[in-house]
Amino acid sequence: MRKAFICGNWKMFKTPGETVALVRELRAKLNESASVEVGIAPPFTSLAAARQALLGSHLRLAGQNCHWEAQGTFTGEVSAPMLKEVGCDSVIVGHSERRQHFGETDEAVNRRARAALESGLTPIVCLGETLAEREAGRTLDVVSRQIRACLAGFSPAQVEALVVAYEPVWAIGTGRVATPAQAQEVHQALRGWISDLAGRAVADKVRIQYGGSVKPDNAAELLALPDVDGALVGGASLKADDFARIVAAARRR
Ligand code: PEP
């Protein structure tokens, strides 16, 4: 049985002060238990404040991206060792907003994920099709290409150490969520491709999160699907009450 992992992607929201307030509110509402892993990914500038506010908590702390080099002349970038030292244990890579607005490619996602693994961070590798790709019937082709490119050259142990997030682009921030059948179809296919890359035993252990307009009222049915092992939550993770209700749904699955 794979343990559910619910991670909140705060995107470009919350100053350090606002972060402390939201972490406090979350800790009060979450009712932490070992049955579900829960994490938050605040902006880089809020990570140190979040780590401080999380003292004594089991909540995981994630960056929203990392560079593939440990240091260098890469203005505006942050490296995996930097995230590690500030107290992160995981990092989102390949989010569709990075792909859409900042030209992120699968090859870059592969390098970022590899760097994260080498620094002992859990990469949350995001992928998913656009609306045009879904409407053209190309979803499985697109996602298959993405997972193969993002994980190319990884050892089975490296694959086992990462998390995949299936996030259909048309569902992110739109309020339009994948149906359970749509989500399960892609998650099951992803597990098959992961098996091709790293073997069945590894594929059975890798967590595949669903992301895209997950809310308290749709979380339970998505999280109950056999190949959905958690969620990457954007908008709803900025509201302590909503996020706590999504975590509670994961606990009941
Ligand atoms: C996300 O940012 O990864 C996401 C899934 O956003 P939302 O939940 O707002 O659709």
Side-chain angles (χ1 to χ4, degrees), residues 193-232:
W193 297 317
I194 294 169
S195 171
D196 295 344
L197 292 166
R200 174 49 59 188
V202 168
D204 283 341
K205 288 187 196 146
V206 171
R207 271 131 8 132
I208 308 177
Q209 297 173 320
Y210 168 80
S213 297
V214 174
K215 308 286 177 207
D217 61 356
N218 60 29
E221 64 176 354
L222 288 162
L223 293 167
L225 297 169
D227 287 293
V228 173
D229 311 309
L232 188 54

Short mmCIF file of all heavy atoms in Angstrom, two decimals, residues 193-232:
data_model
loop_
_atom_site.label_atom_id
_atom_site.label_comp_id
_atom_site.label_asym_id
_atom_site.label_seq_id
_atom_site.Cartn_x
_atom_site.Cartn_y
_atom_site.Cartn_z
N TRP A 193 4.33 2.56 -17.77
CA TRP A 193 5.57 3.07 -18.38
C TRP A 193 6.70 3.11 -17.36
O TRP A 193 7.85 2.86 -17.71
CB TRP A 193 5.34 4.47 -18.96
CG TRP A 193 4.32 4.47 -20.07
CD1 TRP A 193 4.23 3.55 -21.09
CD2 TRP A 193 3.24 5.38 -20.25
NE1 TRP A 193 3.15 3.85 -21.89
CE2 TRP A 193 2.53 4.98 -21.41
CE3 TRP A 193 2.80 6.51 -19.57
CZ2 TRP A 193 1.41 5.65 -21.88
CZ3 TRP A 193 1.69 7.20 -20.04
CH2 TRP A 193 1.01 6.77 -21.17
N ILE A 194 6.36 3.41 -16.12
CA ILE A 194 7.40 3.41 -15.07
C ILE A 194 7.92 1.97 -14.90
O ILE A 194 9.12 1.74 -14.73
CB ILE A 194 6.85 3.98 -13.74
CG1 ILE A 194 6.51 5.47 -13.92
CG2 ILE A 194 7.85 3.80 -12.60
CD1 ILE A 194 5.72 6.09 -12.77
N SER A 195 7.02 1.02 -15.03
CA SER A 195 7.42 -0.39 -14.96
C SER A 195 8.37 -0.73 -16.12
O SER A 195 9.39 -1.41 -15.92
CB SER A 195 6.18 -1.27 -14.97
OG SER A 195 6.52 -2.61 -15.09
N ASP A 196 8.07 -0.23 -17.31
CA ASP A 196 8.97 -0.48 -18.46
C ASP A 196 10.36 0.08 -18.17
O ASP A 196 11.37 -0.50 -18.54
CB ASP A 196 8.46 0.22 -19.73
CG ASP A 196 7.12 -0.33 -20.20
OD1 ASP A 196 6.74 -1.43 -19.76
OD2 ASP A 196 6.46 0.37 -21.01
N LEU A 197 10.39 1.25 -17.50
CA LEU A 197 11.67 1.93 -17.27
C LEU A 197 12.44 1.35 -16.10
O LEU A 197 13.68 1.32 -16.11
CB LEU A 197 11.42 3.43 -16.97
CG LEU A 197 10.88 4.28 -18.13
CD1 LEU A 197 10.38 5.63 -17.61
CD2 LEU A 197 11.99 4.50 -19.16
N ALA A 198 11.72 0.92 -15.06
CA ALA A 198 12.42 0.60 -13.80
C ALA A 198 11.99 -0.72 -13.18
O ALA A 198 12.50 -1.08 -12.11
CB ALA A 198 12.20 1.74 -12.80
N GLY A 199 11.07 -1.42 -13.83
CA GLY A 199 10.62 -2.71 -13.30
C GLY A 199 9.33 -2.59 -12.50
O GLY A 199 9.01 -1.52 -11.96
N ARG A 200 8.60 -3.70 -12.46
CA ARG A 200 7.29 -3.71 -11.82
C ARG A 200 7.36 -3.40 -10.33
O ARG A 200 6.55 -2.66 -9.79
CB ARG A 200 6.62 -5.07 -12.09
CG ARG A 200 5.31 -5.37 -11.44
CD ARG A 200 4.23 -4.30 -11.56
NE ARG A 200 3.84 -3.96 -12.92
CZ ARG A 200 3.02 -2.94 -13.21
NH1 ARG A 200 2.50 -2.17 -12.27
NH2 ARG A 200 2.72 -2.67 -14.46
N ALA A 201 8.37 -3.95 -9.65
CA ALA A 201 8.44 -3.75 -8.20
C ALA A 201 8.59 -2.26 -7.87
O ALA A 201 7.97 -1.76 -6.92
CB ALA A 201 9.60 -4.55 -7.61
N VAL A 202 9.40 -1.57 -8.66
CA VAL A 202 9.60 -0.12 -8.44
C VAL A 202 8.30 0.62 -8.78
O VAL A 202 7.84 1.47 -8.01
CB VAL A 202 10.78 0.40 -9.29
CG1 VAL A 202 10.81 1.93 -9.30
CG2 VAL A 202 12.10 -0.15 -8.75
N ALA A 203 7.71 0.26 -9.91
CA ALA A 203 6.48 0.96 -10.34
C ALA A 203 5.38 0.82 -9.29
O ALA A 203 4.58 1.74 -9.08
CB ALA A 203 6.01 0.40 -11.68
N ASP A 204 5.35 -0.31 -8.62
CA ASP A 204 4.32 -0.52 -7.60
C ASP A 204 4.55 0.36 -6.38
O ASP A 204 3.64 0.56 -5.58
CB ASP A 204 4.29 -1.99 -7.17
CG ASP A 204 3.59 -2.85 -8.22
OD1 ASP A 204 2.85 -2.29 -9.05
OD2 ASP A 204 3.80 -4.08 -8.20
N LYS A 205 5.78 0.86 -6.23
CA LYS A 205 6.08 1.69 -5.05
C LYS A 205 6.01 3.19 -5.33
O LYS A 205 5.87 3.99 -4.41
CB LYS A 205 7.49 1.37 -4.55
CG LYS A 205 7.58 0.01 -3.87
CD LYS A 205 8.97 -0.15 -3.26
CE LYS A 205 9.23 -1.62 -2.93
NZ LYS A 205 10.62 -1.99 -3.10
N VAL A 206 6.16 3.58 -6.60
CA VAL A 206 6.23 5.02 -6.91
C VAL A 206 4.87 5.68 -6.70
O VAL A 206 3.85 5.19 -7.19
CB VAL A 206 6.69 5.22 -8.37
CG1 VAL A 206 6.57 6.68 -8.79
CG2 VAL A 206 8.12 4.75 -8.53
N ARG A 207 4.90 6.81 -5.98
CA ARG A 207 3.64 7.53 -5.79
C ARG A 207 3.36 8.44 -6.99
O ARG A 207 4.24 9.16 -7.43
CB ARG A 207 3.68 8.34 -4.51
CG ARG A 207 3.18 7.48 -3.36
CD ARG A 207 3.93 7.41 -2.17
NE ARG A 207 5.04 8.24 -1.92
CZ ARG A 207 5.20 8.90 -0.77
NH1 ARG A 207 4.26 8.88 0.15
NH2 ARG A 207 6.30 9.57 -0.53
N ILE A 208 2.13 8.38 -7.46
CA ILE A 208 1.69 9.25 -8.56
C ILE A 208 0.56 10.13 -8.04
O ILE A 208 -0.54 9.65 -7.74
CB ILE A 208 1.23 8.42 -9.78
CG1 ILE A 208 2.29 7.39 -10.19
CG2 ILE A 208 0.91 9.36 -10.95
CD1 ILE A 208 1.87 6.46 -11.34
N GLN A 209 0.88 11.41 -7.90
CA GLN A 209 -0.13 12.37 -7.43
C GLN A 209 -0.97 12.84 -8.61
O GLN A 209 -0.47 12.94 -9.73
CB GLN A 209 0.54 13.60 -6.80
CG GLN A 209 1.38 13.32 -5.58
CD GLN A 209 2.14 14.57 -5.14
OE1 GLN A 209 2.64 15.33 -5.96
NE2 GLN A 209 2.23 14.78 -3.83
N TYR A 210 -2.21 13.20 -8.31
CA TYR A 210 -3.03 13.90 -9.31
C TYR A 210 -3.02 15.39 -8.94
O TYR A 210 -3.09 15.74 -7.74
CB TYR A 210 -4.48 13.38 -9.32
CG TYR A 210 -5.35 14.32 -10.13
CD1 TYR A 210 -5.35 14.24 -11.52
CD2 TYR A 210 -6.09 15.33 -9.51
CE1 TYR A 210 -6.08 15.15 -12.28
CE2 TYR A 210 -6.81 16.24 -10.27
CZ TYR A 210 -6.80 16.15 -11.64
OH TYR A 210 -7.50 17.06 -12.39
N GLY A 211 -2.95 16.25 -9.93
CA GLY A 211 -3.05 17.69 -9.67
C GLY A 211 -3.91 18.36 -10.71
O GLY A 211 -3.86 17.99 -11.91
N GLY A 212 -4.69 19.33 -10.30
CA GLY A 212 -5.55 20.06 -11.22
C GLY A 212 -6.91 20.26 -10.61
O GLY A 212 -7.76 19.39 -10.66
N SER A 213 -7.06 21.43 -9.95
CA SER A 213 -8.35 21.81 -9.35
C SER A 213 -8.85 20.80 -8.31
O SER A 213 -10.06 20.55 -8.22
CB SER A 213 -9.41 22.05 -10.43
OG SER A 213 -9.02 23.15 -11.24
N VAL A 214 -7.92 20.23 -7.53
CA VAL A 214 -8.36 19.38 -6.42
C VAL A 214 -8.91 20.28 -5.32
O VAL A 214 -8.29 21.27 -4.93
CB VAL A 214 -7.19 18.53 -5.86
CG1 VAL A 214 -7.62 17.75 -4.62
CG2 VAL A 214 -6.67 17.58 -6.94
N LYS A 215 -10.12 19.96 -4.87
CA LYS A 215 -10.83 20.75 -3.86
C LYS A 215 -11.40 19.78 -2.83
O LYS A 215 -11.48 18.57 -3.09
CB LYS A 215 -12.00 21.53 -4.50
CG LYS A 215 -11.63 22.36 -5.70
CD LYS A 215 -10.85 23.62 -5.34
CE LYS A 215 -10.45 24.38 -6.61
NZ LYS A 215 -9.26 25.19 -6.49
N PRO A 216 -11.87 20.30 -1.69
CA PRO A 216 -12.43 19.40 -0.68
C PRO A 216 -13.58 18.54 -1.22
O PRO A 216 -13.74 17.40 -0.83
CB PRO A 216 -12.94 20.35 0.41
CG PRO A 216 -12.11 21.57 0.25
CD PRO A 216 -11.81 21.69 -1.22
N ASP A 217 -14.35 19.09 -2.17
CA ASP A 217 -15.52 18.32 -2.62
C ASP A 217 -15.22 17.30 -3.73
O ASP A 217 -16.08 16.50 -4.09
CB ASP A 217 -16.66 19.26 -3.04
CG ASP A 217 -16.26 20.16 -4.19
OD1 ASP A 217 -15.08 20.10 -4.60
OD2 ASP A 217 -17.12 20.91 -4.69
N ASN A 218 -14.02 17.30 -4.30
CA ASN A 218 -13.72 16.26 -5.30
C ASN A 218 -12.54 15.38 -4.89
O ASN A 218 -12.21 14.42 -5.58
CB ASN A 218 -13.48 16.88 -6.69
CG ASN A 218 -12.29 17.86 -6.71
OD1 ASN A 218 -11.35 17.71 -5.94
ND2 ASN A 218 -12.33 18.83 -7.61
N ALA A 219 -11.90 15.72 -3.76
CA ALA A 219 -10.68 15.00 -3.37
C ALA A 219 -10.96 13.52 -3.09
O ALA A 219 -10.19 12.65 -3.52
CB ALA A 219 -10.06 15.66 -2.15
N ALA A 220 -12.04 13.23 -2.39
CA ALA A 220 -12.27 11.85 -1.95
C ALA A 220 -12.35 10.89 -3.13
O ALA A 220 -11.73 9.83 -3.13
CB ALA A 220 -13.53 11.78 -1.09
N GLU A 221 -13.11 11.28 -4.18
CA GLU A 221 -13.28 10.32 -5.28
C GLU A 221 -11.99 10.16 -6.08
O GLU A 221 -11.70 9.06 -6.58
CB GLU A 221 -14.47 10.65 -6.18
CG GLU A 221 -14.39 11.93 -6.93
CD GLU A 221 -15.58 12.13 -7.88
OE1 GLU A 221 -16.39 11.20 -8.01
OE2 GLU A 221 -15.67 13.22 -8.47
N LEU A 222 -11.19 11.22 -6.16
CA LEU A 222 -9.92 11.08 -6.89
C LEU A 222 -8.93 10.24 -6.09
O LEU A 222 -8.25 9.36 -6.61
CB LEU A 222 -9.33 12.48 -7.16
CG LEU A 222 -10.07 13.29 -8.22
CD1 LEU A 222 -9.73 14.76 -8.12
CD2 LEU A 222 -9.75 12.77 -9.63
N LEU A 223 -8.88 10.52 -4.79
CA LEU A 223 -7.89 9.83 -3.95
C LEU A 223 -8.25 8.36 -3.73
O LEU A 223 -7.40 7.57 -3.31
CB LEU A 223 -7.75 10.56 -2.60
CG LEU A 223 -7.12 11.96 -2.72
CD1 LEU A 223 -7.30 12.74 -1.43
CD2 LEU A 223 -5.65 11.86 -3.09
N ALA A 224 -9.49 8.00 -4.01
CA ALA A 224 -9.90 6.60 -3.84
C ALA A 224 -9.49 5.74 -5.04
O ALA A 224 -9.57 4.51 -4.99
CB ALA A 224 -11.42 6.54 -3.68
N LEU A 225 -9.04 6.38 -6.13
CA LEU A 225 -8.69 5.60 -7.33
C LEU A 225 -7.45 4.76 -7.08
O LEU A 225 -6.53 5.20 -6.38
CB LEU A 225 -8.45 6.57 -8.50
CG LEU A 225 -9.67 7.41 -8.90
CD1 LEU A 225 -9.26 8.53 -9.86
CD2 LEU A 225 -10.72 6.51 -9.56
N PRO A 226 -7.41 3.55 -7.65
CA PRO A 226 -6.33 2.63 -7.30
C PRO A 226 -4.93 3.14 -7.60
O PRO A 226 -3.99 2.81 -6.89
CB PRO A 226 -6.64 1.37 -8.13
CG PRO A 226 -7.77 1.71 -9.02
CD PRO A 226 -8.42 2.95 -8.52
N ASP A 227 -4.77 3.96 -8.66
CA ASP A 227 -3.42 4.42 -9.00
C ASP A 227 -3.17 5.88 -8.66
O ASP A 227 -2.16 6.45 -9.08
CB ASP A 227 -3.13 4.14 -10.49
CG ASP A 227 -2.91 2.66 -10.72
OD1 ASP A 227 -1.89 2.14 -10.23
OD2 ASP A 227 -3.78 2.01 -11.33
N VAL A 228 -4.06 6.48 -7.89
CA VAL A 228 -3.86 7.87 -7.44
C VAL A 228 -3.38 7.81 -5.99
O VAL A 228 -4.07 7.32 -5.11
CB VAL A 228 -5.15 8.70 -7.57
CG1 VAL A 228 -4.97 10.08 -6.94
CG2 VAL A 228 -5.54 8.83 -9.04
N ASP A 229 -2.15 8.32 -5.78
CA ASP A 229 -1.51 8.16 -4.46
C ASP A 229 -1.32 9.48 -3.74
O ASP A 229 -0.38 9.65 -2.95
CB ASP A 229 -0.14 7.49 -4.65
CG ASP A 229 -0.23 6.26 -5.53
OD1 ASP A 229 -1.08 5.41 -5.26
OD2 ASP A 229 0.55 6.18 -6.51
N GLY A 230 -2.18 10.43 -4.05
CA GLY A 230 -2.04 11.72 -3.39
C GLY A 230 -2.37 12.82 -4.36
O GLY A 230 -2.87 12.57 -5.47
N ALA A 231 -2.09 14.05 -3.96
CA ALA A 231 -2.46 15.18 -4.81
C ALA A 231 -1.44 16.30 -4.69
O ALA A 231 -0.84 16.49 -3.63
CB ALA A 231 -3.85 15.69 -4.42
N LEU A 232 -1.26 17.00 -5.79
CA LEU A 232 -0.53 18.26 -5.78
C LEU A 232 -1.63 19.33 -5.89
O LEU A 232 -2.40 19.33 -6.85
CB LEU A 232 0.45 18.32 -6.95
CG LEU A 232 1.43 19.49 -6.98
CD1 LEU A 232 2.23 19.61 -5.69
CD2 LEU A 232 2.40 19.35 -8.16
#
